[in-house]
Amino acid sequence: MSTRTPLMAGNWKMNLNHLEAIAHVQKLAFALADKDYEAVEVAVLPPFTDLRSVQTLVDGDKLKIKYGAQDISAHDSGAFTGEISGPMLAKLKCTYVAIGHSERRQYHAETDELVNAKVKAAYKHGLTPILCVGEELEVREAGNHVSHTLAQVEGGLKDLPAEQAETVVIAYEPVWAIGTGKVCGAEDAQEVCAAIRGKIAELYSQDLADKVRIQYGGSVKAGNVAEIMAQADIDGALVGGASLDADEFVKIVRFRDQ
Ligand SMILES: O=C[C@H](O)COP(=O)(O)O
């Protein structure tokens, strides 16, 4: 029986302005009770422009919801127009930062090398990376989904010391299941998540791999979350579209009731 605490994280992507963010987090906080937080870690990943408002609300009302960013610069400061650094996110008391999301890899040409540099930047500033990996449809159709995803895991964790790697969160998100309504079958997701844990055991140790949380992401909603969470190597979900509906996200957090 796993002792890993499930992590349900809502990746809002480029949705909800800072005023909407406040209303949304207030709704989540109103609905979630202590027993929810005892069973599951709950986090939201708003756009950068919302983070200060979310921080103020979480601090002011002593909420148990954690929050983080959707990206981080590999650099600490300097002439990098449009980027947001680790020190800036740390100052906002972010807990998490998503790194290497498929939309960043696809639209911003992020490579495993850059993803690896961002993972290191996150740890340098006390942030926990949610390292996103997963294959495109043609890779799955060719039967190369496991090797493709494991190469991304290896690339993202390259030269990362064990004391950092043991707290990393890996999000397995098959690209063809993101925002499409096509959820990856629970057993198919488990196949890849088990392989990811095996790769981490190979890179570090079985003991360390057993501590790492592996999320599934891709069209997760209240109606399918229980089946996904029943898989041995799936320790949470990175939820996109369904996290924008507070009631739906609360149901996902309460996956045991679905
Ligand atoms: O980060 C979240 C994933 O990209 C999943 O998005 P989705 O739940 O809208 O399919």
Side-chain angles (χ1 to χ4, degrees):
M1 180 76 186
S2 157
T3 53
R4 299 180 292 270
T5 303
L7 171 62
M8 293 301 179
N11 174 13
W12 297 357
K13 306 193 179 184
M14 198 172 68
N15 295 290
L16 305 182
N17 63 38
H18 72 286
L19 299 174
E20 293 164 333
I22 293 168
H24 190 80
V25 173
Q26 279 172 330
K27 264 194 219 166
L28 294 177
F30 185 73
L32 292 168
D34 280 351
K35 67 177 177 28
D36 295 310
Y37 299 110
E38 280 157 22
V40 173
E41 197 178 341
V42 185
V44 292
L45 307 179
F48 289 129
T49 51
D50 297 2
L51 284 171
R52 176 66 173 156
S53 303
V54 171
Q55 179 203 12
T56 304
L57 177 61
V58 167
D59 273 2
D61 288 0
K62 298 191 170 32
L63 304 183
K64 292 180 177 166
I65 294 174
K66 309 240 174 97
Y67 57 90
Q70 299 172 15
D71 187 29
I72 181 174
S73 174
H75 307 280
D76 285 358
S77 64
F80 301 101
T81 301
E83 294 204 27
I84 301 292
S85 71
M88 293 170 178
L89 298 178
K91 199 76 180 162
L92 288 163
K93 295 191 192 161
C94 288
T95 299
Y96 291 105
V97 57
I99 297 178
H101 190 281
S102 64
E103 288 147 18
R104 303 280 328 160
R105 293 179 190 258
Q106 185 180 352
Y107 305 131
H108 300 273
E110 292 200 5
T111 60
D112 284 333
E113 291 70 32
L114 180 60
V115 168
N116 179 242
K118 290 184 172 192
V119 167
K120 289 172 182 162
Y123 277 118
K124 183 175 175 191
H125 299 290
L127 304 157
T128 299
I130 299 177
L131 168 60
C132 305
V133 295
E135 80 285 354
E136 295 80 12
L137 185 58
E138 46 300 358
V139 175
R140 177 159 282 261
E141 284 175 347
N144 297 328
H145 48 288
V146 174
S147 58
H148 175 95
T149 303
L150 296 188
Q152 289 181 330
V153 170
E154 197 161 359
L157 298 181
K158 191 165 185 291
D159 299 329
L160 201 69
E163 61 271 21
Q164 294 181 344
E166 74 176 17
T167 63
V168 76
V169 177
I170 309 274
Y172 169 58
E173 302 203 305
V175 178
W176 48 271
I178 295 177
T180 58
K182 282 187 205 161
V183 67
C184 180
E187 286 171 14
D188 289 337
Q190 164 62 20
E191 177 203 16
V192 184
C193 293
I196 291 171
R197 199 174 306 286
K199 170 56 75 179
I200 296 171
E202 182 191 315
L203 293 172
Y204 297 94
S205 67
Q206 188 62 52
D207 186 46
L208 185 148
D210 287 341
K211 292 181 187 157
V212 169
R213 289 181 295 180
I214 303 176
Q215 297 178 306
Y216 167 79
S219 297
V220 171
K221 35 188 191 290
N224 58 28
V225 66
E227 197 190 350
I228 291 164
M229 289 303 293
Q231 304 303 313
D233 288 291
I234 300 182
D235 310 309
L238 186 57
V239 186
S243 74
L244 300 174
D245 177 333
D247 295 335
E248 182 79 6
F249 189 58
V250 167
K251 285 186 194 157
I252 291 170
V253 170
R254 294 185 181 141
F255 65 92
R256 291 184 178 88
D257 301 341
Q258 306 308 317

